[in-house]
Amino acid sequence: MTPLAAGTPIEHAGTANTAARAPQLVFDHVNKAFGRSDGSSALALADVSLSIDDHKFVAVIGPSGCGKTTLLRIANGLIAPDSGTVSVKGRPPVPGPDTGFVFQGFRLIPWATVLGNVEFALETLDLSASERRDRANTYLELVGLTRWATSYPGQLSGGMKQRVALARALAGEPQMLLMDEPFASLDAQTRELMQIELLHIWNRRKPTVLFVTHSVDEALLLADTVVLMSTGRILEVIDVPLARPRQLDAARSDQDFITLRNHLWNRIRDLVLTDPASAFFGRELNQ
Amino acid sequence: MTPLAAGTPIEHAGTANTAARAPQLVFDHVNKAFGRSDGSSALALADVSLSIDDHKFVAVIGPSGCGKTTLLRIANGLIAPDSGTVSVKGRPPVPGPDTGFVFQGFRLIPWATVLGNVEFALETLDLSASERRDRANTYLELVGLTRWATSYPGQLSGGMKQRVALARALAGEPQMLLMDEPFASLDAQTRELMQIELLHIWNRRKPTVLFVTHSVDEALLLADTVVLMSTGRILEVIDVPLARPRQLDAARSDQDFITLRNHLWNRIRDLVLTDPASAFFGRELNQ
Amino acid sequence: MASASRTNQEYSALTIAATRIGFLILLLALWWLASINVARNIIPSPLATYHAAGRLFSEGRLQQGLLDSVTVYLSGYGIAILIAIPLGVAMGAFNLFGRTLEIYVYALSATPRVAFIPLIIVLLGLGIEAKVFIVMLGAVMPILINTYAGVRQADPELIEMARSVGAGRLRIFSRIVIPGAIPYVIVGLRLGATIGLINTVVAELYTAVSGLGGLLAIYGNTFRMAEYFVIVLCLAAIGVVVTESLRIIENRLGRWRD
Amino acid sequence: MASASRTNQEYSALTIAATRIGFLILLLALWWLASINVARNIIPSPLATYHAAGRLFSEGRLQQGLLDSVTVYLSGYGIAILIAIPLGVAMGAFNLFGRTLEIYVYALSATPRVAFIPLIIVLLGLGIEAKVFIVMLGAVMPILINTYAGVRQADPELIEMARSVGAGRLRIFSRIVIPGAIPYVIVGLRLGATIGLINTVVAELYTAVSGLGGLLAIYGNTFRMAEYFVIVLCLAAIGVVVTESLRIIENRLGRWRD
Amino acid sequence: SGTANAQSDEPFRLIVTHLEVPLVPNSVMDLAVELGYFEREGVDVELVRVQQTPSALAALQSGEGDMANVGIDALLQVINSGATDFRAVTSPNKSLPFLIASREEIATPQDLVGASFGVGRVGSLDHSLSTLVLASMDVDIEDTELVNLGQPNVRAQALAAGQIDATTMSIGTWAELPDTTGLHVLIDQDAYYEAAPVVNKVNAVPGNVLEDRPEDVEAVIRALVKISRDFAADPQLWVDAMSDALPQTDVAVLEMLADAFAESWSVNGGMSAAELSYTSDWLYATPDFSEIAPLELQDWVDFGPLDAVLAELGTEDAMDPADR
Ligand SMILES: Nc1ncnc2c1ncn2[C@@H]1O[C@H](COP(=O)(O)OP(=O)(O)OP(=O)(O)O)[C@@H](O)[C@H]1O
Ligand SMILES: Nc1ncnc2c1ncn2[C@@H]1O[C@H](COP(=O)(O)OP(=O)(O)OP(=O)(O)O)[C@@H](O)[C@H]1O
Ligand SMILES: [Mg+2]
Ligand SMILES: [Mg+2]
């Protein structure tokens, strides 16, 4: 557990063996602002520095609107920072099949079938048409949507759409996975299943994962490192000292887990309730 | 706790004093199917009978794609059942200001500002323009978006959009609230704040609430009654015997809570993993 | 089809056919009233028109005119489609290109086709090439302008998604932008079909006279209003056939909305 | 503006102006080449055209023609907008009404305006009423067809949301459906503007001859090609001014996309 | 109704199918306005300009005009189709000075065999006239490749662009062609008229105008006869008036045309019963009229107003015959 002051460069704050390997993803003093309708601009990322090693599973948590999605879009090279640099394996990030992105709003192609949506992500890969279909079907099976392969997104429930988006990102078998609240619309059990499948994949192929979640428990269950953000800043980068495989039931009684969970919980609570910059400054958490 | 066989008419299964009051919302043998692209049709609701008393807070849980959203749309009169009847206070449901709906996909008007989106829901009410504005601002304050009143939805993060949708549904101060995973995109703390605000409102004005959630804990924390669904059927309707006000931390050690939680958890787990109709039939929950 | 009509019923093909026929009867009644109330036979009666149609048909003039016009029309319209859709997409794809060209496109489409006829005669002569070109010139504009607008209207979130899976510009356009622009393109094709038809007549009047346009000129100049109306109705019918055929394409491409 | 151009850069107004002027110079060069290579003075040189413009301007004929034409044009176009948008919305709002009417709309828009001129003269005479009517008839179709398509294209999820808050049909249309159809309506207005202008010329040629259309006919018939080109360019310029003014409305209504 | 002065409350609308003062004797209508002839006869004439005869007739039918200068073929057609009250009352240019122009390679009419020949359309007046003219030169128009081209200016443009080899056009159109290198007049207007001596344009009025405004009709005819007589007497008057009206036109061209028109002024109203009968008989033999029952002269001509004018002004026997 390594709480850091906000904004401190943290290039060496990752795991112990950083020096031996080139970090996969590096943010260096990144700023990004968006124009607001009143002419002012909102700082979505403020002086963000972060270094993520290869094969790490990193969870990003923070209050609503703190810049998590923006962080992921910049990491993928979809938008450019206003200042500062981002690099993936030493190069500026380029979107492509090496990186899978699960978008918060799913972003399914409405006129493509479920299968077509997954296959779409595979077309950049060097696969024959039938290999592509097989691969897409494999991942549809994984998210439990085999029976819906020929349906259109408009015919799916919210959770089913999210699973299509998940299958699409996983099917490319990328080296880096950027996942923006990928399980938010899933019921608890399906979510658990998906967590397990994700860990399976991660164990097998060891992609670097940047995983935005609203669940502290989920973050602690899945991640090597938890990044805590607020109003565009990285407040803490915390290594999770729990042994794998982890079971949530078991973890809940683990003292490290409890300490960490309470720490994060209290930190976010403070950010939401007692930070004057928060919209909920001064609100009470009592009924 | 009153587990019931699936499909049994449960008109008298609500609270003890059902006979004394007309139930607010009654589903009677409701069926609803959607056409699928292969020409077959998927049963989204199968012989659903349910009766919800006035002023009750009812949580609906169930696996992804089991028909929860469909249930809410039918309860609001947005779509008609294929067979069976639905009634609100003895009449067929008519959408309007008496019922607030938080949609799963937010459904914000992209060309209206945040304030405009909330005001839109108030125009059916008998309010002057300034009263409408005040009311909208009050609820934007409640969801912590005062500073974003003049922004457009496209300029908001996922969680902020969800809060606009929440403010819109609450601002009408309806007698019935239909909420489809209304907190799914919120971080844990904001979610807690919103839960509290919702309970405040419920305590004060006592609307009937139908609340879809994926969190068993949230269901038990908020609801009088939990409805468990699977593949279009209502499997159980369970009264939550916990005294209010409830605190999640305290509840977690309450024996009733633990029993109920484990029951629901196991039931859903069974539905997802061991029901042959489930897409995940036979999957293991181990890493 | 997903549509505003979710606010009201979708009607069966039968109901629609019935109301259309009802409306047709109303139109015929109005026409008949007009024909007996306007002086000097300017409006022929429906019956006289019907007889004239029979005459023209049995003489074979109608068929010949139709054949000539339809050949010119479909060639010009087809070429217009082949030019307008790629150009519209390119204008949407390359922002600077599109923004540069667009005012010239508007300028050209605001200039009467008739104004170019001397030039067209010099360059393409009086034959079918000139006619096809004039039809193309008319039909190309609405298709181009609609396609361009549709492409610019593409969903930026889907495009970002496509970029993130590494789709190149070509694939983004063929799989995201163009399918998303289909409703615009279809409207453009509808309008192009109607304007193309109008320009067919213009072309047949202003270059070597032929086809339905030629018949229109003959009957117009000799005040044979019944025959004239037959040709006008014939043109309207072609317009309906072509625009309704577009519905088939539209429904096919819009299946996902069901 | 949100657009496919997210895949490429948005350029500054200055860059766009520069490339537009560059393209203009290219066009002028091509025109000049054509003028010296096409025989018999059919294409006047840019310089001759410039001089002709000066002559027409100092004689005051250009201004008078412009004034006449613009009056007819804007009246007809304005009436077309007032008719087409409500009608298009109504056709989208009342499904049966729309589906019934649409084929007649396509039929009418496929029929050359010229074909109705005798009737229009009989009913409305040769004066400004007839001209405005002809302009209206041309401009109304693209606006109507685009509006109708835009309304049918409305987002069913937003409509359901509006229904759920108790919005009546009127409010759903004014707040959800019509704003959603704006991009279509704008394209329709653009096309209507260009077709309206063409029809202004047609009207001025086929009823009492006047305005720019009249000048076009005079110079065309007397083979004064430099003057003829001045009028053609003048028409193109009006088209550009009107379609570019629509951009202001478009940008204003599309602010939320920023 | 009646013949009172109330007739002059509204302007008398005279519809012409040219857009500028034309380079033919038809110019008398425009020049009579310019030079105040109508005014002196006490009639307030307003010229309404339309492109073509059909528009002019439609305007007459709708009451948008009181008199229109139209082709006889169109007048006969429209009367046949129901406008039975229309009557020709005068002809300011009984025959348009037509000629056949061709490329220089076509040196004689015989060279037209196998060449392309532009006509308005098969059956149109210019086609029928050309047939007649070529026949008189022993050329069957069917031996040429006929191209239907519609409007006269399109025919001229097509000839100038080298897309056709020859066509009929008015002398005015020929004079206005900007560049006639490589082109020449194959058959000039005199030879043309000799071969095809038909009246082709008349001023027609609907029945209600004849009934309601007879004095105005007569005043218009009187003014036209007077100006025609003045021009016939002094061609320079026409040249001067035309150079005022069309300052950009070469005076030499005007003088050449004035010479050519010496015999063409309708000093007696241009309404010879014999010529009109000949014209209608000839028209009824052309393909366009094949299905139409011929009209008697009195069913489409009303000599009354013109005769009243001639009774007052006298007849000039040297010029166009006033036979009835
Ligand atoms: N418009 C539609 N067209 C076709 N099928 C539909 C449509 N809407 C829902 N369905 C189907 O109905 C079933 C129930 O869907 P519903 O949206 O009610 O599920 P849900 O319980 O809300 O799921 P989730 O938790 O994933 O949101 C699903 O199988 C879905 O595919
Ligand atoms: N396209 C945009 N235009 C304007 N502002 C934007 C845009 N995208 C994001 N923002 C702003 O940037 C900030 C960060 O947004 P971001 O989406 O990264 O938040 P987030 O952490 O993902 O929140 P959430 O958990 O609610 O999804 C917010 O204040 C948001 O309003
Ligand atoms: Mg986000
Ligand atoms: Mg749902």
Side-chain angles (χ1 to χ4, degrees), chain C residues 8 19 93 100 102 206 247, chain D residues 8 19 93 100 102 206 247 257:
Chain C
N8 56 29
T19 56
T100 302
E102 57 175 33
Y206 283 89
R247 186 174 312 286
Chain D
N8 56 28
T19 57
T100 302
E102 59 175 33
Y206 285 89
R247 186 174 312 285
R257 286 181 203 275

Side-chain angles (χ1 to χ4, degrees), chain A residues 36-37 64 141-144 147 150 163 185 187 189 196-197 199 214 245-246 268 277 279 283 285 287, chain B residues 36-37 64 141-142 144 147 150 163 185 187 189 196-197 199 214 245-246 268 277 279-280 283 285 287:
Chain A
R36 287 183 55 184
S37 44
S64 178
E141 160 77 41
L142 187 136
V143 299
R147 277 188 298 169
T150 59
R163 285 182 278 148
S185 302
D187 61 283
Q189 274 62 32
I196 290 166
E197 298 289 359
L199 284 178
H214 285 319
R246 301 169 189 164
I268 308 181
R283 209 75 71 98
L285 262 188
Q287 290 193 356
Chain B
R36 288 182 57 183
S37 44
S64 178
E141 161 78 40
L142 186 135
R147 276 188 299 168
T150 60
R163 285 183 277 149
S185 300
D187 62 283
Q189 274 62 33
I196 289 166
E197 298 290 358
L199 285 178
H214 285 320
R246 301 168 189 166
I268 306 180
F280 298 108
R283 208 78 68 98
L285 264 187
Q287 292 195 358

Side-chain angles (χ1 to χ4, degrees), chain E residues 245-257:
Chain E
L246 298 175
Q248 75 285 351
T249 312
D250 191 350
V251 177
V253 170
L254 291 176
E255 283 167 350
M256 178 274 283
L257 290 172

Side-chain angles (χ1 to χ4, degrees), chain A residues 69 104 180-181, chain B residues 157-158:
Chain A
T69 300
Q104 202 170 2
D180 201 352
E181 306 180 32
Chain B
S157 77

